[in-house]
Amino acid sequence: MNKSQTALLIALAKKLEKRQSSKESAIKSLSSAGIVTKEGKMTKSFPNLERVLSIAE
């Protein structure tokens, strides 16, 4: 993941953290950013993030 993707992801996380949101609205936001699919599955555009999340589970 390059620096611009990392910065955008951090900005999105901070924005989402400030709002009260449901799982559905979080998935919708991440989907519109191209990070997850509409079903909540990780897209292939973020393989490093997928690795990090799989370790955390």
Side-chain angles (χ1 to χ4, degrees):
M1 187 178 313
N2 67 33
K3 286 186 179 185
S4 64
Q5 287 180 327
T6 304
L8 289 172
L9 184 58
I10 290 171
L12 178 60
K14 287 180 181 180
K15 181 179 176 182
L16 291 174
E17 183 179 49
K18 290 180 183 177
R19 314 190 255 185
Q20 288 276 344
S21 61
S22 65
K23 180 179 178 179
E24 292 81 19
S25 65
I27 290 174
K28 185 177 177 181
S29 293
L30 293 170
S31 177
S32 70
I35 297 169
V36 299
T37 64
K38 290 181 181 180
E39 295 78 30
K41 304 279 185 186
M42 190 67 58
T43 62
K44 295 191 185 296
S45 301
F46 295 88
N48 293 329
L49 183 57
E50 185 173 17
R51 261 184 266 152
V52 169
L53 292 175
S54 68
I55 291 169
E57 292 175 350

